[in-house]
């Protein structure tokens, strides 16, 4: 096929002409590296995070309208954009010109923290507004279903965007703008209740002010859309036919070619699975494949019609056609709503879903169940109609179509009065989630009866292909739709749909239980429909069963915030205590905030790709880079032999090699690194390095480590009182276990480093994403045998960190530094998402065995804990994490006799590392599981046990520190009142008594978190600052804190504003740099604002005192500064702070291990679906003692973000490793963090009022980690709901919910007649799909 070879499209109104474009180039790479439009971010490169979202626009000649849609630029092929217009975040607004309302409102709502996800959020919302200028709140939430945020907890993002909606506040009379919240007075007039838009007027969005679609693309539509294209390079040829004849001819000449519509699957296969498709055919402009035809028999969709177009068409049909004829359509809509994300649905086609033939396809079970028909043809052949039936999918990812066949269309049939249809899907979470099991079910009855004429039960996720339960279907024909059918059908299904132990995907028992649970839901749904249609008695479906039919209701989220306002006498320019916007918030929203990989390439810059171990434990027999070095563009292969200095780094006694020399200790350990002229060449060449291994026995789990006595150092022990003697005095003594899994940090910006060698004296400049510039500087110097004054490390900001960037950034920084030092050229090493997840480590999985002694009244007398943390291949942060666990194992409870022994296990996994909370989330879970255990034994409410044992002011911890200002009980009491706990407890009990298959749970937990670095590391409790005042009055601050989303720079501006008594507009914070602030402490431990704030305060105080003599009553700040300068007054000052008073001795009393504690309490209510294990957070109330908050909205954002991240740890995030040590959950496709649909329908946050912390600047507290453990209120609310389900099932015996409480865990804990039909996985000689690391 002949065709044009020049790609023409528009970007932000600029015409782009690219001759012979690279077929494998994504739009994202072209935007970032060719056009230098770096606002669109590379978060995952698999279409799963939304950070790269752009808007694509094209003219539809048929409707004569412009179609706008959001898309993932990372998987959208550049070549498919011919004749289209692309809008990026830079194209809608800038701080240099004007801001778009979307950008303004997300910034005003504090909807960005690290800011890396913000441009994608903005563009998703922008695309929605271009199609619907006044959307509903539900539409807004739906359009954001493909955008992930790890920082904010999503609430402020929705708050900002909901200002565009035509809805009203969902809280009605309880609206946050009212002075009464839940019938509870919010306190004195100094307290205020806020929403993102309180007091802010937003004019209506005016769509007419938007840039116009390029007239050239509309006026010359035929030229752009009817001209075939051919683009090729040495590896791939890309065709874009514009007629069916051209397409059929291409398919005949290239039967092995891949047809592309949205590229959503092929991008993953080629980028991550090593697949190669030399011929690719873009069918988006073949008219016959884009047609939609309606007929009485159904609706026919061309094979290139997108899922969004299908959804819109079916919604119209459901609205306009009789109910009985649209039952199949509604079933499809129920699944399409949750199919991938909005961005994916906008480009993916129904034919792509069919031809991919995935065994967990969301649509193929529905097509088979509905009896859908496809039309197929080939060159020279007739159009053939084919049923999508049990013969259509022949084997794994294979259909019965011949290679030269082209799928033309799919007909989704209409239903009739005697026909009922339903779809089901269960994944790890609702939004953008691959199915675990899905199903399509259709039954046809004899006319006006309940006798089954035909029935179709089709499942995905139960075999290598989509399968029909044919034996069950045959057996059910002729049966009546009555109660005995459930027993018969579920028994047949349980027998027919069995899975072998160790089957790919795992979760055998859960998946089998879903097959019968889905049928039961289908039975109830149809039975209720028959009640209305043919008059079957409604009593056949008990009232308590009816809630099983609908999905859990998830109303649009509402929020309220309560905190102390500043005093009326506080000067307007004094912003301390006010909700000052994030200092980079506007730049986040416009894409102008620069992250490491946004920096322009330096002259002569090289790119690095790591060569990683593919074995968990092995000797390196040989490493051969010969083939890689022959590739064009490859410059060098860096190995341990190239290191001029120390070859190891890390904690003494358990260092890890910079580059492995003779042995590898985990999969993902760095063996060497390819350096090349381009990123793509480096990555390709890295796959050509041949490594031969001699395998050694690996250790992965805590139990294996215990059995093999494999530990990082000796156990750590902390003792208080005499537990063993105390056990003899207790009414009850019991033992139990508790565990937490691994948790991936999933910061949106992956690890990366840019190292620039100097031209003389071996000097080096290092840009890297780290929380600890000092460690990075010191380690690079040791590795290169340089002194610290020759290496400068700079960090402007990081796109999230959460502890993961304390030290693991060195995995990219050290090899890059070695290469730059050797080659004398800049080297950039940025890890892809999958590499980052496979190498950088996680939160420590933990397993604990405890023994507790208590009395009949619930008072706990003695508590011993033996806790083991999986530390991975090197000690890294693990011993420090274990130390934190044993010091925080008391939780919020005063237990007089305690022993905690902690062990760091050495295993063949990537080294685990610091993570937000630093061991406290694990310690809290262990102790709260113990509290729950005690409550179960005494048959008391766990809240009673908590209150009885809670610390009071003046109590002493198990490490002998007095709690002189303990506000834990105040937080508890206020949360108890705010949440109306007792009233809602009764309401939950009533709900559970009336509903068998939906259950609600309610739980309340306290929290105590130690802020600052411990006395055992008190050298870290120091900070320096440098403040300059220039002649124009502007102020520049340098301090040692790293901005990673927590708002540290914003708070430092507020401190300087108060001390200098000037507007924040005068003040700017410089990037963190080791040549400005030397020996800075790491940004961690909720201490960054505490220590750096006082250092900034000190410097500003000095400057203010110097300027005081020149401050004339009628002068201005600038005039005072100039007067001082003319008098030769130094206008630069250094500030310093060191925290005094900390001391700890294990054998003494009156210790001060920590500077202060942050207290809180949370109450959460959930609803679970007992048949699937799915859940929803109905409401969460949090009260946190933030002291006198420096910035209430920033602090509330930290509290909400930590709470949702903690929810991920305890409930959602399931980190999976195979028995061979292969990470199975790499990237957002398989590792699910909380999405926008996971947040509570109602979330209320109160900062404890009238609280002043005398131990930190201006009475504030660091709150970034304290609320992590409050997410246990959700975990135990789920357990509470499960308990009710088990009681109904006749299983009143005690159970313990494991963490994380995934749908699988919850469903299998519920127990009922359906789970009992599943044969337990036998103990046997089979290889499991995953291993439990804890």
């Amino acid at each position: 096929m002949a065709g044009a070879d020049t790609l023409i499209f528009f970007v932000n109104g600029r015409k782009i002409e690219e001759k012979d474009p690279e077929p494998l180039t994504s739009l994202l790479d072209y935007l970032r590296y060719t056009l230098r439009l770096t606002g669109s971010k590379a978060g995952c490169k698999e279409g799963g995070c939304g950070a790269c979202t752009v808007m694509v626009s094209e003219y539809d000649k048929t409707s004569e309208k412009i179609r706008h849609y959001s898309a993932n630029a990372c998987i959208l092929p550049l070549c498919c954009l011919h004749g289209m217009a692309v809008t990026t975040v830079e194209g809608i607004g800038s701080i240099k010109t004007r801001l778009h309302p979307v950008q303004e409102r997300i910034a005003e709502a504090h909807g960005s923290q690290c800011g890396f996800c913000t441009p994608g959020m903005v563009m998703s919302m922008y695309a929605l507004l271009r199609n619907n200028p006044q959307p509903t709140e539900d539409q807004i939430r739906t359009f954001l279903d493909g955008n992930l945020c790890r920082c904010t907890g999503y609430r402020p993002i929705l708050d900002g965007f909901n200002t565009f909606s035509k809805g009203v506040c969902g809280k009605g009379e309880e609206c946050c703008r009212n002075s009464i919240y839940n019938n509870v007075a919010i306190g004195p007039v100094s307290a205020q209740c806020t929403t993102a838009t309180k007091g802010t007027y937003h004019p209506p969005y005016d769509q007419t002010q938007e840039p116009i679609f390029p007239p050239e693309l509309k006026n010359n539509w035929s030229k752009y859309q009817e001209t075939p294209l051919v683009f090729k390079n040495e590896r791939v040829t890309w065709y874009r036919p514009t007629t069916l004849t051209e397409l059929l001819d291409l398919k005949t000449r290239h039967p092995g070619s891949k047809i592309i519509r949205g590229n959503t699957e092929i991008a993953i296969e080629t980028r991550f699975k090593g697949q190669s498709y030399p011929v690719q055919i873009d069918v988006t402009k073949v008219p016959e494949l884009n047609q939609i035809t309606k007929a009485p028999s159904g609706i026919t969709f061309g094979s290139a019609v997108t899922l969004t177009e299908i959804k819109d068409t079916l919604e119209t049909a459901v609205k306009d056609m009789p109910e009985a004829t649209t039952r199949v359509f509604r079933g499809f809509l129920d699944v399409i709503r949750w199919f991938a994300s909005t961005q994916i649905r906008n480009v993916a086609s129904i034919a792509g879903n069919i031809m991919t033939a995935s065994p967990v396809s969301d649509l193929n079970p529905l097509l088979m169940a509905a009896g859908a028909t496809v039309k197929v043809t080939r060159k020279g052949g007739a159009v053939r109609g084919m049923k999508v039936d049990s013969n259509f999918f022949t084997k794994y990812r294979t259909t019965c179509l011949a290679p030269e066949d082209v799928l033309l269309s799919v007909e989704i049939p209409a239903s009739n009065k005697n026909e009922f249809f339903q779809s089901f899907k269960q994944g790890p979470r609702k939004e953008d989630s691959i199915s675990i099991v899905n199903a399509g079910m259709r039954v046809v009855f004899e006319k006006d009866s309940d006798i089954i004429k035909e029935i179709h039960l089709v499942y995905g996720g139960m075999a290598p292909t989509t399968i029909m339960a044919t034996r069950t279907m045959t057996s059910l024909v002729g049966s009546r739709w009555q109660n005995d059918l459930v027993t018969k059908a579920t028994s047949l299904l349980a027998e027919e749909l069995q899975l072998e132990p160790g089957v790919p995907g795992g979760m055998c028992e859960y998946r089998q239980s879903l097959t019968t649970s889905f049928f039961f839901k289908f039975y109830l749904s149809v039975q209720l429909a028959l009640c209305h249609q043919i008059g079957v008695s409604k009593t056949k479906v008990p009232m308590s069963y009816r809630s099983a039919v609908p999905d859990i209701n998830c109303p649009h989220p509402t929020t309220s915030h309560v905190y102390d306002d500043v005093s009326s006498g506080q000067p307007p320019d004094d912003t301390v205590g006010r909700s000052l916007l994030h200092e980079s918030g506007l730049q986040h929203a416009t894409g102008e905030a620069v992250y490491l990989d946004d920096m322009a390439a330096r002259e002569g810059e090289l790119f690095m790709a790591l060569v990683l171990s593919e074995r968990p434990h092995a000797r390196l027999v040989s490493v051969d880079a010969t083939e890689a070095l022959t590739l064009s563009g490859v410059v060098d292969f860096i190995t341990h032999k190239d290191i001029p200095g120390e070859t190891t780094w890390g904690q003494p006694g358990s260092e890890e090699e910079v580059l492995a020399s003779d042995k590898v200790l985990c999969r993902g350990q760095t063996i060497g690194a390819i350096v090349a002229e381009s990123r793509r060449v480096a990555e390709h060449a890295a796959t050509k390095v041949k490594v031969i291994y001699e395998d050694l026995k690996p250790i992965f789990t805590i139990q294996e480590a215990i059995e093999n006595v494999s530990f990082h150092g000796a156990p750590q022990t902390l003792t208080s009182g005499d537990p063993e003697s105390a056990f003899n005095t207790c009414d009850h003594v019991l033992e139990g276990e508790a565990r937490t899994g691994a948790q991936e940090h999933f910061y949106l910006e992956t690890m990366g480093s840019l190292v620039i060698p100097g031209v003389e004296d071996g000097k080096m400049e290092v840009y890297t994403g780290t929380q600890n510039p000092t460690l990075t500087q010191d380690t690079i110097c040791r590795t290169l045998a340089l002194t610290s004054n020759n290496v400068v490390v700079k960090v402007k900001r990081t796109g999230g960190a959460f502890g993961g960037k304390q030290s693991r950034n060195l995995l990219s920084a050290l090899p890059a530094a070695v290469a730059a030092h050797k080659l004398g050229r800049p080297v950039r090493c940025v890890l892809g998402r999958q590499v980052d997840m496979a190498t950088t480590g996680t939160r420590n999985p933990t397993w604990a065995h405890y023994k507790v002694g208590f009395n009949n009244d619930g008072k706990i007398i003695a508590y011993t804990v033996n806790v083991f943390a999986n530390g991975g291949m090197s000690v890294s942060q693990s011993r420090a994490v274990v130390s934190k666990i044993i010091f925080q194992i008391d939780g919020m409870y005063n237990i007089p006799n305690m022993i905690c022994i902690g062990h760091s296990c050495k295993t063949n996994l990537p080294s685990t590392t610091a993570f937000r909370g630093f061991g406290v989330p694990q310690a809290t879970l262990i102790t709260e599981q113990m509290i729950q255990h005690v409550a179960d034994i005494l048959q008391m409410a766990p809240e009673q046990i908590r209150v009885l044992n809670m610390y009071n002011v003046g109590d002493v911890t198990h490490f002998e520190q007095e709690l002189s200002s303990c506000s834990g009980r105040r937080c508890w009491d206020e949360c108890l009142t705010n949440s109306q706990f007792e009233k809602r407890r009764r309401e939950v009990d009533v709900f559970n008594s009336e509903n068998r298959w939906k259950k609600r749970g309610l739980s309340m937990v306290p929290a105590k978190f130690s802020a600052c670095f411990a006395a055992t590391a008190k050298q870290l409790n120091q900070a320096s600052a440098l403040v300059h005042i220039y002649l124009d009055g502007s102020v520049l601050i340098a301090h040692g804190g790293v901005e990673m989303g927590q708002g540290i720079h914003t708070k430092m501006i507020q401190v300087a504003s108060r001390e200098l008594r000037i507007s924040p507009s005068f003040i700017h914070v410089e990037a963190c740099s080791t040549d400005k602030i030397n020996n800075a402490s790491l940004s961690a431990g909720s201490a960054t604002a505490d220590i750096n704030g006082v250092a900034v305060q000190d410097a500003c105080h000095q400057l203010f005192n110097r300027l005081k003599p020149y401050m004339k009553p009628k002068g201005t700040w600038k005039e005072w500064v100039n007067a001082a300068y003319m008098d030769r007054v130094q206008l630069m000052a250094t500030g310093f702070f060191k925290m005094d008073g900390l001391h700890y001795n294990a054998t003494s009393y009156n210790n001060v291990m920590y500077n202060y504690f942050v207290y809180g309490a949370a109450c959460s209510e959930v609803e679970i679906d007992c048949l699937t294990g799915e859940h929803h957070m109905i409401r969460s109330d949090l009260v946190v003692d933030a002291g006198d908050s420096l910035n209430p909205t920033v602090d509330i954002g930290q509290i909400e973000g930590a709470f949702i991240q903690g929810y991920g740890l305890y409930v959602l995030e399931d980190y999976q490793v195979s028995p061979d040590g292969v990470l199975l959950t790499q990237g957002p496709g398989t590792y699910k963090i909380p999405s926008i649909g996971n947040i509570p329908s109602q979330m209320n946050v109160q900062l404890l009022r009238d609280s002043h912390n005398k131990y930190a600047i201006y009475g504030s507290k660091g709150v970034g980690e304290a609320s992590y453990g409050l997410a246990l209120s959700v975990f135990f609310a789920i357990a509470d709901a499960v308990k009710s389900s088990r009681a109904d099932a006749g299983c009143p015996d005690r159970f313990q919910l494991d963490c994380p409480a995934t749908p699988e865990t919850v469903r299998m804990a519920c127990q009922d007649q359906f789970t009992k039909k599943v044969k337990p996985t036998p103990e046997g000689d089979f290889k499991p799909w995953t291993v439990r690391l804890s």
Side-chain angles (χ1 to χ4, degrees), residues 297 299 301 328 332 350 354 363-375 385-389 392 409-414 419 421 442 456 468:
S297 60
I299 303 177
F301 297 97
V328 172
F332 273 79
I350 190 170
I354 294 170
L363 296 182
N364 289 341
L366 310 191
L367 294 167
M368 287 177 66
T373 302
V374 298
K375 290 185 178 179
M386 302 175 63
K387 282 281 189 183
V388 183
D389 56 19
F392 191 86
S409 64
V410 182
E411 183 188 45
I412 299 178
E419 183 179 4
F421 185 90
R442 179 170 67 101
H456 300 267
M468 279 185 169

Side-chain angles (χ1 to χ4, degrees), residues 1130-1141:
Q1130 186 181 30
L1131 297 177
M1132 179 272 288
T1134 58
F1136 182 72
F1137 169 71
K1138 68 173 183 177
M1139 189 179 293
D1140 294 320

Side-chain angles (χ1 to χ4, degrees), residues 12 267 361-362 437 446 623 710 795 811 894 1006 1053 1055 1116:
N12 298 333
S361 158
D362 286 345
V437 175
E446 299 290 351
V623 180
S710 180
V795 187
L811 296 176
N894 186 4
I1053 288 172
V1055 170
T1116 67

Side-chain angles (χ1 to χ4, degrees), residues 1237-1317:
N1238 290 115
I1239 66 177
S1241 290
Q1242 183 177 349
M1243 188 163 186
N1244 308 307
V1245 179
Q1246 176 184 325
L1247 303 186
L1248 189 68
R1249 293 173 304 220
D1250 302 320
S1251 176
H1252 179 81
N1253 176 32
K1254 64 182 180 181
Y1255 301 105
I1257 185 167
Y1258 304 143
S1260 64
K1261 287 189 175 185
V1263 297
E1265 298 170 277
S1267 60
Y1268 216 99
L1270 294 179
L1272 277 172
S1273 61
V1274 181
F1275 177 84
F1276 286 110
I1278 292 172
D1280 184 49
V1282 171
K1283 184 177 181 180
S1284 176
S1285 175
R1286 291 172 63 90
D1288 284 358
C1291 302
D1293 52 309
R1294 182 184 183 273
F1295 79 102
Q1296 180 169 300
L1297 198 64
D1298 281 334
C1299 170
T1302 61
E1304 176 193 15
T1305 301
V1306 174
R1307 173 66 186 106
M1308 300 315 293
C1310 282
Q1311 292 294 305
D1312 50 49
Q1313 62 266 40
F1314 306 115
T1315 59
K1316 291 176 182 177
K1317 292 180 185 292

Side-chain angles (χ1 to χ4, degrees), residues 687-766:
T687 66
K688 301 300 180 182
V689 177
K690 295 179 173 60
V691 182
I692 297 176
Y693 304 88
E694 179 188 328
D695 288 328
L696 302 172
K697 181 183 177 181
I699 295 171
F700 299 124
T701 70
I702 286 175
Q703 295 305 320
E704 289 171 347
I706 294 172
E707 291 167 6
N708 290 275
V709 196
S710 180
F711 299 103
H712 295 298
Q716 302 175 68
T717 302
L718 183 60
T719 302
S720 174
D722 184 358
E724 291 306 319
S725 298
F727 283 132
N728 296 325
T729 69
C730 298
D731 296 333
H732 305 271
V733 176
L734 57 83
E735 298 183 45
E737 298 178 354
R739 55 171 38 91
T740 62
Q743 186 182 24
E744 164 62 35
H745 298 82
F746 212 97
Y747 28 70
L748 264 290
E749 181 191 24
T750 58
M751 298 286 192
S753 299
L754 171 61
V755 181
I756 305 168
V759 296
E760 60 180 41
D761 300 329
K763 290 185 179 294
M764 189 165 285
E765 191 174 33
V766 181

Side-chain angles (χ1 to χ4, degrees), residues 775-884:
L775 176 66
T776 300
Q777 178 190 39
D778 180 67
T779 310
I780 288 176
C781 290
R782 292 171 182 271
T783 302
L784 301 182
L786 298 174
T787 55
S788 294
N789 58 357
N790 282 308
V791 175
V792 176
V793 176
K794 298 183 177 182
V795 187
K796 173 62 177 175
R797 59 173 58 86
T798 70
F802 316 116
K805 295 178 180 177
Q806 281 192 24
S807 62
R808 307 311 291 174
N809 67 296
L810 290 166
L811 296 176
S812 68
L814 293 179
V818 172
H821 185 268
K822 176 185 179 182
L823 302 172
R825 294 173 64 179
V827 176
R828 185 184 303 244
C829 180
V830 178
L831 305 187
R833 175 63 60 187
Q834 296 210 353
V835 173
D836 187 291
M837 292 184 70
T839 59
T840 59
T842 66
R843 182 186 297 279
N844 298 75
T846 57
W847 173 78
H849 178 271
Y850 62 79
K851 182 178 179 181
V852 59
F854 54 98
N855 290 333
N856 290 324
D857 62 356
K859 185 65 177 176
I860 298 172
I861 307 301
Y863 180 38
T864 64
V865 187
N866 207 8
V867 61
F868 297 81
N870 194 326
M873 60 171 275
S874 72
V875 69
S876 187
Q877 304 289 324
S878 292
R879 284 188 62 82
V881 168
V882 168
S883 175
K884 188 81 165 184

